[in-house]
Amino acid sequence: MSAVKVASGIAYDYVSGIRNQRVFPDAEALAGLQNFDKPLPTTGTNCQQVLEQLHSYGSPATVATTGGRYFGLVVGGSTPAAMGANIITSAWDQIALMEASSPIVSQLEKIAGRWALELLHLPSEAFVGFVTGTTMAHVSALAAARHYLYQKQGYDLAEQGLHNAPELKVVLPEEAHISVLKALRLLGFGRSQFIFVPCDTQGRIIESAVPEFSDNMILVLQAGNLNSGSSDDFSALIPKAKKAGSWVHVDGAFGLWARASKKKSALVEGVENADSWAVDAHKWLNTPYDCGMCIVRHKQALKEVMTTSAAYVETQDMWQAKDMLPEFSRRARAVEVWAAIAELGSQGIEELVDRCCLYAEMLAEGLESLGFNILNDVVINQVVAYLPDINLQRAMLQKVQQSGECWFGKTTWQGREAIRLSVSSWATTEDDIQRSLKAIARAIDEVKQQAN
């Protein structure tokens, strides 16, 4: 098919030039998007022309997250094998429903899941499901948690619903990520059920402020605060919660990957004793978007919540994806996870994590030399910094973003407006770090000169 050749050529052209592309599109590229805004076509267009239009006007207006100087969201690039697997998976167009709908996807999901558990040093008996991202991983795991706790109390949620259900409480850090709160809302939890616990200056939950645990509680902890990158004290908190009969869920979107590094694993020691975990592959594993993993120790509880039954999808395998996850029609995300792990190996993934952490330290040191104050202990890949002159900081940020040299955004943390840089891409090099620091220094100088 000529369309496949054309698309492959476009993909190669785009990726091969990514290091020379602006990290954020300029005004001309953004204006070019108007070329897509036309009336609904009456007749079709040759597929090659359609693809060339995407490349001509779409490629220049992308954000170069597959390059090495995007430090905005915690976003990895796409490793070569993972990107290639994404292209092959699109050609396969498989339905990741069950073994009968795609034997290859079913097999790779099992292998990729097993490999992920080994990399993250989590219980081998846990179920790993591939979902769109951490938000749906939270939804899945927390649904299992609710079912599990109600079941222990003798309440049949599937039969009786939520109307007269016993009360459950959710204990979580004040700095819990918004994806956790969204997941809880989707499951019908209300604000009156939340017990927010204060955090220390690094965003870690304060153990002494945690309420007494009980068997009607879900404790949500963080592996990797979204600003600081710091993790809660799992070794101290999880045993107490489990002894009381609480369910412990860990938001480990990116921080859980510290488990893959011998240098950083101590930061998340004890996390393996939780009941469920949410983690993204499209962050530190550097698979294409979108790919999250829902990991649940008590897989029977997850199955009882998610199971589906229809004559045309019956199967003998009790752990089919259709019975374990929210989506019925799923993309074959595990293929890319398998490819990324196969390409890098455990040593390569460890090196990737360590390298990103080293570059974060280099960024912090460079920013300090430019007059920034660093707000967080740079323990993994996150840097939060501020300039004493807030107006200079704002003007600098705007200039850097407009320059296209690199991209990072602002945040508000510990009551202070700051900038946040996240180093998560396999493609980032020391040269990228130095180029970014030079862009920041140049922007500061330009702002000061204009002020004078």
Side-chain angles (χ1 to χ4, degrees):
M1 293 175 65
S2 61
V4 175
K5 287 186 176 180
V6 172
S8 298
I10 288 172
Y12 179 80
D13 183 56
Y14 177 80
V15 173
S16 61
I18 197 68
R19 288 199 171 275
N20 298 318
Q21 181 173 317
R22 291 173 54 91
V23 179
F24 195 84
D26 58 19
E28 182 181 356
L30 294 174
L33 294 176
Q34 294 300 315
N35 288 282
F36 293 110
D37 191 5
K38 298 177 180 178
L40 173 68
T42 303
T43 58
T45 305
N46 176 274
C47 66
Q48 183 169 333
Q49 289 180 267
V50 171
L51 296 176
E52 289 175 348
Q53 185 181 23
L54 278 173
H55 190 35
S56 296
Y57 302 115
S59 293
T62 59
V63 176
T65 53
T66 51
R69 297 188 305 282
Y70 180 82
F71 308 114
L73 303 175
V74 188
V75 175
S78 293
T79 69
M83 185 180 295
N86 179 269
I87 295 170
I88 292 171
T89 302
S90 295
W92 285 353
D93 195 25
Q94 298 293 278
I95 305 168
L97 178 67
M98 56 186 179
E99 187 173 2
S101 66
S102 180
I104 175 59
V105 173
S106 179
Q107 176 73 344
L108 290 181
E109 284 199 341
K110 293 173 184 175
I111 296 169
R114 187 182 78 238
W115 285 356
L117 292 175
E118 291 181 30
L119 280 168
L120 299 171
H121 303 282
L122 296 179
S124 60
E125 72 273 14
F127 172 81
V128 181
F130 298 90
V131 290
T132 53
T134 296
T135 301
M136 286 313 299
H138 291 324
V139 169
S140 305
L142 292 170
R146 181 177 63 186
H147 176 81
Y148 182 83
L149 294 178
Y150 279 149
Q151 194 173 53
K152 288 204 302 181
Q153 295 182 42
Y155 185 81
D156 188 343
L157 181 64
E159 178 66 28
Q160 297 172 272
L162 287 171
H163 183 63
N164 292 310
E167 184 181 38
L168 291 182
K169 291 290 185 181
V170 182
V171 179
L172 64 171
E174 282 186 343
E175 295 193 20
H177 194 268
I178 53 174
S179 61
V180 174
L181 302 179
K182 175 183 276 191
L184 289 166
R185 288 198 302 269
L186 287 172
L187 291 169
F189 286 92
R191 284 189 295 271
S192 65
Q193 294 174 274
F194 301 162
I195 301 174
F196 288 103
V197 182
C199 296
D200 65 15
T201 57
Q202 295 303 311
R204 298 170 298 219
I205 197 168
I206 297 174
E207 183 185 350
S208 61
V210 176
E212 185 177 351
F213 294 115
S214 66
D215 61 3
N216 70 336
M217 278 186 179
I218 299 171
L219 171 64
V220 179
L221 298 175
Q222 287 188 102
N225 177 278
L226 79 151
N227 280 307
S228 72
S230 291
S231 296
D232 293 324
D233 190 342
F234 304 114
S235 294
L237 289 165
I238 292 178
K240 294 177 182 178
K242 297 292 290 292
K243 184 178 181 180
S246 303
W247 178 291
V248 182
H249 173 66
V250 176
D251 175 7
F254 65 96
L256 197 58
W257 289 107
R259 297 278 290 179
S261 164
K262 287 187 283 291
K263 292 180 181 178
K264 299 296 179 180
S265 60
L267 297 170
V268 285
E269 185 178 352
V271 74
E272 70 277 5
N273 296 316
D275 297 289
S276 58
W277 307 261
V279 62
D280 278 328
H282 58 230
K283 287 187 168 63
W284 239 344
L285 189 57
N286 280 233
T287 67
Y289 260 72
D290 54 18
C291 185
M293 290 186 281
C294 166
I295 306 175
V296 178
R297 182 193 298 271
H298 309 284
K299 54 189 178 183
Q300 183 62 35
L302 181 64
K303 184 177 189 295
E304 289 173 3
V305 173
M306 299 293 176
T307 192
T308 55
S309 180
Y312 65 96
V313 290
E314 290 306 317
T315 174
Q316 296 301 311
D317 188 341
M318 67 182 298
W319 307 117
Q320 293 283 333
K322 74 178 184 66
D323 294 323
M324 303 298 291
L325 299 168
E327 297 168 291
F328 204 64
S329 300
R330 287 192 313 130
R331 189 174 72 81
R333 301 179 182 92
V335 179
E336 296 144 26
V337 175
W338 176 88
I341 298 175
E343 178 185 21
L344 295 171
S346 60
Q347 288 184 352
I349 293 169
E350 180 175 17
E351 290 168 3
L352 167 61
V353 171
D354 289 345
R355 189 167 63 248
C356 288
C357 295
L358 175 62
Y359 290 158
E361 292 174 10
M362 291 174 62
L363 274 175
E365 291 172 5
L367 289 171
E368 278 190 308
S369 71
L370 294 174
F372 284 85
N373 294 311
I374 308 302
L375 277 173
N376 66 314
D377 296 335
V378 183
V379 292
I380 50 173
N381 65 323
Q382 302 289 93
V383 181
V384 184
Y386 73 94
L387 285 170
D389 184 339
I390 187 61
N391 292 321
L392 175 59
Q393 177 176 298
R394 290 169 179 170
M396 173 279 303
L397 180 59
Q398 184 178 27
K399 277 190 174 292
V400 171
Q401 291 177 344
Q402 289 174 347
S403 75
E405 266 291 274
C406 64
W407 202 98
F408 53 88
K410 70 176 183 178
T411 188
T412 300
W413 194 52
Q414 305 291 337
R416 184 183 293 276
E417 185 176 323
I419 60 171
R420 187 190 76 156
L421 299 95
S422 305
V423 189
S424 312
S425 177
W426 72 275
T428 299
T429 64
E430 184 173 347
D431 180 64
D432 290 317
I433 299 301
Q434 297 306 323
R435 279 183 63 174
S436 300
L437 288 169
K438 287 177 182 177
I440 295 168
R442 187 164 53 249
I444 290 173
D445 288 343
E446 289 174 359
V447 173
K448 287 181 177 178
Q449 288 173 10
Q450 289 170 359
N452 295 329

